[in-house]
Amino acid sequence: MKTFSFLIIFFLLNFHLAYSQDTFSICAWDPVTGEVGSAGASCVANCIILSDVHPGKGVIHSQASYVAANQNYARSLFLMGLSPQQIIDSLIAHDVSNNPTIRQYGIVKSTTSQRAGYTGVNCLNYKNHITGPTYMIQGNILLGQQILDSMEARFNREPGSLAKKLMAALQGAKVIGADTRCASLNKSSISAFLRVGRTQDTLGSLYLDLRVNNTPTNRDPIDSLQVLFNMWNPSQIVKLENEIPGRFDLFNNYPNPFNPVTTLKLSIPSQLNGQNIKLNIYDINGKLIEKLLDEKLEAGVYQISWNASDRPSGIYIYSLITNGTVISKKMILVK
């Protein structure tokens, strides 16, 4: 009987740990662009399940002894228009297992500029959350408060887009044992994610949706996520210093066909030096789906990558526009 009781206790403890998601995360919005975003990492695989991003509305994070029923309930209240604090109060009162003390939540609502967090007293130590002007940062099973503080500092210091700020926040937590369960693996976590929704995006089809679901023991998922982000980042325009600019119509993409990333190369001649250049992507029906470039460039040769991982296979049109001149070409995405 004692052996049986021990096995039951062992199973329950491991069940609790297996579903303790996520260790550290941040949800935020950009008051200027209206974008909303979500990022996090954990020493549990597939920690992205805690992230619920609603373009143009806000973000819900449900972690620490994660239960899908609680997350679904939070979503229903969010869509009903309740404030973040009202949602959390109701989650505490109606926890599916009647034990809210082992849960952790972070909610931001861009439509009302509200945010709220909750850390149950029985979440595994170290646990805490930070409420910022446009963000919520939360974590449990942490090395200490320094992990959350570093995330906040890196988020606030990054001058770029919301996506870049969220990526910087995760880099702030890339410390061996940030999730203490991963200390023996000499890394911060096992899985990581980064997601951003624009106001025109739809639920389930986000502008940015990157994930590293599980990493080999010698690789930190935040490093892997950074590589994916660098490939995706559409604002990362590279000027090729050793190439001589020619005609404006020296314009192509490679590889073509491609899956899922292609690089568009363009040459800006001297007579267009300092002119505003636009580079747009359209679907086969002529609908604008992506603006890769809209800024003044010096004469030179440039390349910019486009990641179409969230687009279906098919033919796409890319157009280079300046001073009333439009040059369009086709490219093929094959998945």
Side-chain angles (χ1 to χ4, degrees):
M1 180 62 70
K2 288 183 179 180
T3 301
F4 178 77
S5 298
F6 173 80
L7 289 173
I8 290 294
I9 294 171
F10 178 82
F11 172 79
L12 290 174
L13 285 172
N14 280 275
F15 178 86
H16 173 77
L17 290 174
Y19 286 85
S20 292
Q21 299 198 32
D22 163 71
T23 300
F24 46 89
S25 73
I26 176 171
C27 45
W29 82 92
D30 185 329
V32 176
T33 66
E35 292 177 338
V36 294
S38 168
S42 177
C43 202
V44 174
N46 197 35
C47 66
I48 197 171
I49 63 172
L50 74 96
S51 167
D52 191 14
V53 177
H54 296 258
K57 297 179 180 178
V59 182
I60 306 166
H61 279 191
S62 175
Q63 60 191 52
S65 299
Y66 169 88
V67 177
N70 284 336
Q71 187 178 41
N72 293 337
Y73 179 62
R75 173 186 279 202
S76 67
L77 298 178
F78 183 90
L79 295 177
M80 287 170 58
L82 273 67
S83 71
Q85 190 58 57
Q86 288 174 322
I87 294 170
I88 287 175
D89 290 344
S90 190
L91 284 166
I92 294 170
H94 301 96
D95 183 83
V96 67
S97 302
N98 197 30
N99 188 11
T101 64
I102 59 173
R103 320 288 185 208
Q104 190 171 48
Y105 301 105
I107 305 174
V108 298
K109 200 163 188 178
S110 59
T111 52
T112 56
S113 299
Q114 294 175 306
R115 62 268 181 222
Y118 168 77
T119 300
V121 294
N122 289 320
C123 290
L124 298 180
N125 283 321
Y126 178 80
K127 75 265 186 175
N128 200 3
H129 63 267
I130 296 174
T131 304
T134 60
Y135 53 84
M136 286 298 311
I137 302 173
Q138 46 280 321
N140 59 92
I141 326 180
L142 296 176
L143 186 63
Q145 179 65 30
Q146 67 268 30
I147 302 301
L148 301 177
D149 291 343
S150 180
M151 290 179 69
E152 181 178 38
R154 291 287 295 271
F155 180 87
N156 286 325
R157 282 204 308 265
E158 170 58 51
S161 65
L162 179 61
K164 292 178 71 176
K165 292 172 77 70
L166 291 171
M167 189 69 244
L170 282 187
Q171 285 289 359
K174 199 193 74 177
V175 176
I176 292 175
D179 178 331
T180 55
R181 294 169 296 180
C182 272
S184 61
L185 300 177
N186 292 316
K187 58 185 183 178
S188 67
S189 46
I190 287 176
S191 63
F193 65 89
L194 172 59
R195 313 176 78 204
V196 174
R198 300 170 299 182
T199 54
Q200 66 266 40
D201 291 344
T202 58
L203 193 64
S205 180
L206 302 178
Y207 172 58
L208 170 62
D209 194 350
L210 302 177
R211 64 195 73 189
V212 177
N213 288 334
N214 200 358
T215 52
T217 55
N218 64 345
R219 184 180 304 161
D220 195 293
I222 295 175
D223 286 336
S224 298
L225 192 70
Q226 183 73 62
V227 171
L228 293 176
F229 180 71
N230 292 345
M231 292 174 59
W232 167 88
N233 188 3
S235 63
Q236 191 173 26
I237 304 169
V238 178
K239 186 176 183 181
L240 306 178
E241 298 293 349
N242 296 325
E243 298 200 31
I244 300 173
R247 302 193 318 274
F248 184 60
D249 61 353
L250 293 180
F251 174 47
N252 55 66
N253 76 295
Y254 58 93
N256 191 18
F258 67 98
N259 178 22
V261 178
T262 188
T263 298
L264 294 92
K265 188 174 181 180
L266 54 146
S267 177
I268 309 300
S270 57
Q271 62 266 35
L272 292 177
N273 183 65
Q275 295 295 314
N276 193 74
I277 308 296
K278 295 182 179 181
L279 178 56
N280 294 336
I281 308 291
Y282 302 85
D283 65 19
I284 193 62
N285 296 314
K287 179 183 178 183
L288 176 63
I289 61 172
E290 196 91 57
K291 293 182 178 180
L292 293 185
L293 179 63
D294 187 359
E295 61 184 87
K296 294 179 180 179
L297 296 180
E298 298 176 353
V301 179
Y302 298 82
Q303 63 181 22
I304 178 170
S305 294
W306 183 49
N307 188 322
S309 58
D310 60 343
R311 301 291 177 182
S313 297
I315 298 174
Y316 292 85
I317 311 297
Y318 58 104
S319 294
L320 190 59
I321 307 164
T322 190
N323 283 349
T325 300
V326 179
I327 301 171
S328 298
K329 294 189 177 182
K330 294 181 181 179
M331 55 184 170
I332 302 173
L333 172 62
V334 179
K335 290 185 176 181

